[in-house]
Each structure stands twice: as C-alpha cells, then as structure tokens.
Amino acid sequence: MQSQKIKYYLGFICLIIHIGCNFSTNSEIQAPSFIYTEFSHPVLSPNGEEILFHWFKPSGFNDENHPITDEDSCGIWSYKPATQELNFIYAILLPTRMIFTPDGDSVIFNDLYNQGKIVIMDRLSQSKRVIPGNTGGASTTISNDGSYIAYNQYTEAGKPLIIIAKVDGREYKTLSRNGTNVNGMYPNWFPGNHRIAFMSNLDYSISAIDTSGENLSVLFASGAANFFGLSISPADGRIVFTYLDCIYTFNSIGENMTKLSSSFGRFANWSFDGKRIIYTSPSEQPIYHNQNAIWIMNDDGAEAFQIYP
C-alpha cells in the first residue's frame, strides 16, 4: 500500500510539472510561465496519415477564462489531417506517451490508471492486450524492428529504472552498468536496436548506452530541468528534444546541435522517415490564454505549421 501511495504521488507531481511549470531562466526565451497543456505527446503514424495525441479536453471555462477539464473525454485521440476525421480512442486522464509499432498496426502506451501496465492496442479493432509482468511503467518506446521495448519503472524511492524486454514481455531485464542500475527518463532506441538514449533524472543531461550496459557517453549536459521528452529519428539517429522551452536536435554522438524553433515547443517526436517533427506549441488562434496546439515542421525547422486544431 505504501509503495502504491508513493507511485501515486510521483505521478501527480509529474502531472503538475507537465502542465504548469516553466523552469527556464534564460532571458532569451520569452515563454509564458504557465501553459495549459491541452494537447501533449503527439505522434505520427508510420505512413504519416494519422496523428495520435493526449487531450485534456476542456468542457468549459471558469470566471478567469481558464479551461475546465472534461474528465470523461480526456485521453488518447486520433486525427487524420486529409479527412479531418477526429476520434476518441482511449480514456485516460493522465498524459501518456504513445508510440506506433513500426508496421503501424498497433499502438503502445502505459495505462497510468492500471498500475502503469503496458498496453498494446490494435488500431483497426481497438482490441487491447497487456504485456504480462510489466507494471509501474512510463514512457515506453519500441525498437526499430519492433522486437524490443524500453520503458521506465520507478522504485519506491522515486528513482527511474530503465527496463528492457521483448515486446511480448519475455527477456525482461533492468539496464545496469558495472552492477549498478542505470537511472534515467525517456529511454529511446537508436537505429540498430542495441543502443538507447535517455535523460538523467539528476542533472537533466542526455546520455547514450548500449543495452549491454557498456559504452556510456554523455551527449548533452544541459544543467537545466527539462521534462518534455526526447525522440530519436529512426532514419539517422538524430535526437530531438526541448531545451529552455525551444526545440533542438543533434546527431547520435551529440554533435551539430541545431535550434529548430525560436518559440515555445514541447513533446517533439520524429516521423518514421525522419523528415518531419511533430510537437506542441502555442496556438495561432487561441480561444483562451496560452492555449497550445499541434504543429509539424521539417527536420531542419522549416515550414512549420499548425495542423490541429
């Protein structure tokens, strides 16, 4: 019971961080101090025809014109830009990262209302199955060949372990180095399926390590809190991430760092072909103060446009 309480409060703290905090003190960044994260974790399907995202859907507004969340409609939503088709997929109040399997047939996410269990959902039938033996998870990602998953599992002390397993739950192991568990958030797979990148929970640096626990290297030492994830291009291993509330990329060894956005951007994810980046940023036509929206840009930051709403 005590461990469940700890996990609950950790999850609640993470939610507050996600939707309400701006840790940047850099005067160059003119980001608002509060952002209502109505949309988060957008991801493109492998064929680029569908977008999934988490939506804190508002049911109305209070006297200060701030949105009131409609808990019954919060969860995973699907949007198809070509037809403008919008569908409610799965009810879950807390934001969760989603990722398509490489074939596009299924979506994987953590059900934070069900002990963080990893769910695989068929996109056509919407049938769901739980990967056995995996609870307390977050930020699940899948290797480029679709055979392995990596995700966070938090200890009772709140330390984020990195777990690696076959996509069916077999060959489960905690990533360790020289006998010591590796702690880090947002594990992501490099092409080749034997190396991952992650963000340190201590100094917010971005590091890479082989799944064997060898060849640990620091790719970027940020020194600033950054709770908005990272993503690796399946095409060439470039990493996209949020730093001081703007979106940056660098290559697989931490070189050629490039600033892609000059304004507020979060939850960036690569398209499967590595040519586009989907992310959230303030809406061009907000209906309330600091409303965000879903945007897409080219991999060099060019031709950014708001795609929804």
Side-chain angles (χ1 to χ4, degrees), residues 42-118:
V43 60
L44 279 163
S45 62
N47 62 13
E49 296 177 357
E50 182 181 21
I51 299 169
L52 294 183
F53 56 92
H54 186 275
W55 192 358
F56 272 122
K57 188 175 182 182
S59 60
F61 302 90
N62 61 20
D63 293 340
E64 298 177 346
N65 199 35
H66 288 161
I68 301 169
T69 298
D70 177 8
E71 294 190 11
D72 292 334
S73 297
C74 286
I76 300 172
W77 286 72
S78 163
Y79 178 66
K80 296 181 179 180
T83 61
Q84 298 187 341
E85 181 182 351
L86 180 68
N87 289 298
F88 185 48
I89 300 297
Y90 189 81
I92 178 171
L93 179 61
L94 297 179
T96 183
R97 180 176 185 175
M98 300 141 279
I99 188 164
F100 280 93
T101 54
D103 58 16
D105 292 341
S106 301
V107 178
I108 298 178
F109 60 92
N110 294 93
D111 188 342
L112 302 181
Y113 278 147
N114 190 15
Q115 299 179 313
K117 291 183 178 180
I118 302 170

Side-chain angles (χ1 to χ4, degrees), residues 193-247:
N193 307 322
H194 68 274
R195 190 165 174 80
I196 63 171
F198 62 92
M199 184 176 292
S200 169
N201 61 309
L202 298 177
D203 60 6
Y204 309 106
S205 61
I206 297 175
S207 298
I209 190 171
D210 293 347
T211 55
S212 63
E214 299 174 328
N215 300 317
L216 176 67
S217 59
V218 176
L219 304 180
F220 176 68
S222 72
N226 180 340
F227 286 90
F228 304 102
L230 59 90
S231 174
I232 298 177
S233 169
D236 58 15
R238 281 180 296 166
I239 293 176
V240 63
F241 65 105
T242 297
Y243 175 59
L244 298 178
D245 285 326
C246 291
I247 296 174

Side-chain angles (χ1 to χ4, degrees), residues 54-300:
H54 186 275
W55 192 358
F56 272 122
K57 188 175 182 182
S59 60
F61 302 90
N62 61 20
D63 293 340
E64 298 177 346
N65 199 35
H66 288 161
I68 301 169
T69 298
D70 177 8
E71 294 190 11
D72 292 334
S73 297
C74 286
I76 300 172
W77 286 72
S78 163
Y79 178 66
K80 296 181 179 180
T83 61
Q84 298 187 341
E85 181 182 351
L86 180 68
N87 289 298
F88 185 48
I89 300 297
Y90 189 81
I92 178 171
L93 179 61
L94 297 179
T96 183
R97 180 176 185 175
M98 300 141 279
I99 188 164
F100 280 93
T101 54
D103 58 16
D105 292 341
S106 301
V107 178
I108 298 178
F109 60 92
N110 294 93
D111 188 342
L112 302 181
Y113 278 147
N114 190 15
Q115 299 179 313
K117 291 183 178 180
I118 302 170
V119 176
I120 300 181
M121 180 178 64
D122 184 272
R123 279 302 298 116
L124 292 180
S125 68
Q126 295 191 21
S127 62
K128 292 171 282 290
R129 62 183 176 90
V130 173
I131 296 179
N134 299 284
T135 60
S139 299
T140 298
T141 55
I142 191 168
S143 61
N144 289 3
D145 65 358
S147 60
Y148 283 90
I149 54 174
Y151 60 96
N152 284 136
Q153 193 171 71
Y154 287 83
T155 68
E156 291 191 0
K159 293 182 177 180
L161 303 176
I162 298 175
I163 308 299
I164 296 173
K166 295 281 283 186
V167 76
D168 60 4
R170 295 181 296 115
E171 299 181 22
Y172 168 106
K173 73 172 185 179
T174 302
L175 184 60
S176 62
R177 178 174 179 263
N178 299 328
T180 301
N181 290 336
V182 175
N183 297 141
M185 304 176 291
Y186 307 114
N188 273 255
W189 294 88
F190 283 102
N193 307 322
H194 68 274
R195 190 165 174 80
I196 63 171
F198 62 92
M199 184 176 292
S200 169
N201 61 309
L202 298 177
D203 60 6
Y204 309 106
S205 61
I206 297 175
S207 298
I209 190 171
D210 293 347
T211 55
S212 63
E214 299 174 328
N215 300 317
L216 176 67
S217 59
V218 176
L219 304 180
F220 176 68
S222 72
N226 180 340
F227 286 90
F228 304 102
L230 59 90
S231 174
I232 298 177
S233 169
D236 58 15
R238 281 180 296 166
I239 293 176
V240 63
F241 65 105
T242 297
Y243 175 59
L244 298 178
D245 285 326
C246 291
I247 296 174
Y248 289 79
T249 61
F250 55 68
N251 65 19
S252 60
I253 58 174
E255 296 178 346
N256 300 328
M257 184 165 167
T258 304
K259 184 178 181 180
L260 301 187
S261 69
S262 59
S263 61
F264 198 89
R266 291 178 175 175
F267 304 112
N269 274 303
W270 288 98
S271 62
F272 272 73
D273 61 8
K275 296 180 179 179
R276 294 182 295 170
I277 295 169
I278 189 168
Y279 61 104
T280 64
S281 193
S283 174
E284 286 187 316
Q285 297 179 321
I287 59 174
Y288 56 83
H289 184 56
N290 287 340
Q291 181 187 15
N292 76 339
I294 299 171
W295 291 67
I296 288 180
M297 62 182 165
N298 292 346
D299 65 337
D300 61 357

